Amino acid sequence: MMRRISPRILLYLASLMAISLALTGCSSARRSQKADLLSRIPGDVSLQTPQQRYIALCNSYSEWQDLTLPVKLAVTSPKSITLSGKVTMERGSSINISVRMLGFEVASMFIDTDSIHVVDRYHKAYVSESLTRVFGGGSVSVTDIQDLLLGRGFVTGGGGGSFTPALLTAVDFSNAPEGLMIFPARQPAGFEYGFIMSPDFNRVAATSITIGQTHGITVAYSSPEETPAGGAIAGVTSVQTVGEKDIAASIQWNYGSAKWNSGVRNNWLTPKGYRRLDAASLISSLSKL
């Protein structure tokens, strides 16, 4: 299925493709169609139809329950700094990112099923916002954010989730010189999002989210890795936000030291004695670290 996509998100995705390349150095008839696509996919990507490329992408994914691993975070805006950290995720439940400097936690981010919390330990301040407010009223889940961080395609809202063959009829395709673009057919109220695949590999190379008329999140993926429990996911995730305060950062995932499906649990506790700030004030505070 091919459709006309808004020029703005096409431009975002085309730009993301360039970034990614630089960094890298259901009826029974439909079920039958999916089975045929699966069994007849040519080995050469250039000979594959958009639907076949999508199915091959889905086949590269694996299900997982939880993940803990060290990361390296490089922030280039609003200030340049490189930090170490640890990420712990419970699939569909929570994400905890701890950022350290000289062995001490200086900041953290906790995301659960309905909120995002960011803590600045140095200035004893924090922000708590609902997912609905952050994403302009869209139905984004913590599972979607996990896929966004790891470089997996997804469909938001009820009946969605990570790309699967069953969701083939829920997405549209658009061929472009930069690569195959994939757009969920039903876009949430409040924002628009889409994905672009590399021209040469069946991997998501970038994701773009536009929120309203002035805010956006662009994410590029490089150094893909085959993991024992999570399947094919990004080795480096580069994020840039556009809005009142622009932020640019990258996460380098250390899968060599990862622990999969170990039964970890994350919990959010409001830090005692900390000031609650709005997001713009906290970003300004963090830029002074």
Side-chain angles (χ1 to χ4, degrees):
M1 185 186 303
M2 311 291 281
R3 74 181 181 103
R4 182 178 178 84
I5 307 299
S6 78
R8 182 174 54 160
I9 199 167
L10 285 171
L11 178 61
Y12 277 139
L13 285 171
S15 300
L16 279 171
M17 188 62 210
I19 295 171
S20 181
L21 290 173
L23 288 169
T24 304
C26 305
S27 65
S28 60
R30 284 176 176 171
R31 287 195 296 268
S32 174
Q33 179 189 38
K34 291 170 187 173
D36 289 343
L37 286 167
L38 180 61
S39 62
R40 300 176 183 177
I41 297 177
D44 188 340
V45 171
S46 66
L47 300 178
Q48 296 171 5
T49 66
Q51 292 81 2
Q52 289 172 332
R53 295 199 62 189
Y54 172 87
I55 294 294
L57 176 66
C58 296
N59 291 341
S60 72
Y61 297 158
S62 297
E63 293 302 317
W64 53 278
Q65 287 74 54
D66 59 75
L67 169 63
T68 301
L69 77 169
V71 295
K72 180 185 291 185
L73 298 103
V75 181
T76 56
S77 179
K79 184 176 182 178
S80 295
I81 188 171
T82 300
L83 302 162
S84 62
K86 184 174 78 171
V87 174
T88 304
M89 301 192 211
E90 294 178 78
R91 185 63 168 161
S93 179
S94 66
I95 303 168
N96 187 51
I97 303 175
S98 174
V99 181
R100 296 181 174 273
M101 180 184 293
L102 301 176
F104 296 95
E105 185 178 73
V106 294
S108 64
M109 176 183 289
F110 186 89
I111 305 172
D112 56 24
T113 55
D114 59 13
S115 301
I116 297 180
H117 313 276
V118 181
V119 179
D120 175 1
R121 301 288 182 190
Y122 188 80
H123 296 97
K124 293 190 175 182
Y126 75 99
V127 163
S128 291
E129 295 284 3
S130 69
L131 288 179
T132 299
R133 181 173 180 181
V134 171
F135 287 96
S139 54
V140 174
S141 70
V142 66
T143 304
D144 299 334
I145 297 173
Q146 289 168 342
D147 286 340
L148 180 68
L149 288 173
L150 296 175
R152 291 166 47 134
F154 58 90
V155 175
T156 66
S162 300
F163 282 169
T164 64
L167 289 173
L168 176 60
T169 56
V171 298
D172 297 334
F173 305 97
S174 178
N175 280 311
E178 296 81 12
L180 175 65
M181 297 181 180
I182 305 176
F183 300 89
R186 296 182 62 181
Q187 294 284 327
F191 73 91
E192 184 178 23
Y193 70 113
F195 309 87
I196 188 166
M197 291 177 65
S198 165
D200 303 316
F201 302 97
N202 289 322
R203 298 285 185 272
V204 173
T207 304
S208 177
I209 301 172
T210 59
I211 304 170
Q213 298 298 315
T214 59
H215 293 73
I217 303 171
T218 57
V219 188
Y221 310 104
S222 57
S223 305
E225 294 198 28
E226 294 285 345
T227 62
I233 46 185
V236 178
T237 301
S238 299
V239 182
Q240 182 163 353
T241 67
V242 178
E244 294 177 4
K245 294 286 185 178
D246 296 348
I247 301 173
S250 65
I251 304 173
Q252 182 176 336
W253 309 91
N254 184 356
Y255 295 114
S257 299
K259 295 180 180 178
W260 295 90
N261 306 329
S262 60
V264 299
R265 293 291 182 268
N266 289 324
N267 292 293
W268 163 252
L269 295 174
T270 302
K272 293 182 179 180
Y274 280 51
R275 293 173 298 133
R276 182 169 180 173
L277 303 175
D278 60 30
S281 297
L282 184 62
I283 292 169
S284 176
S285 176
L286 287 169
S287 69
K288 298 174 183 176
L289 286 175

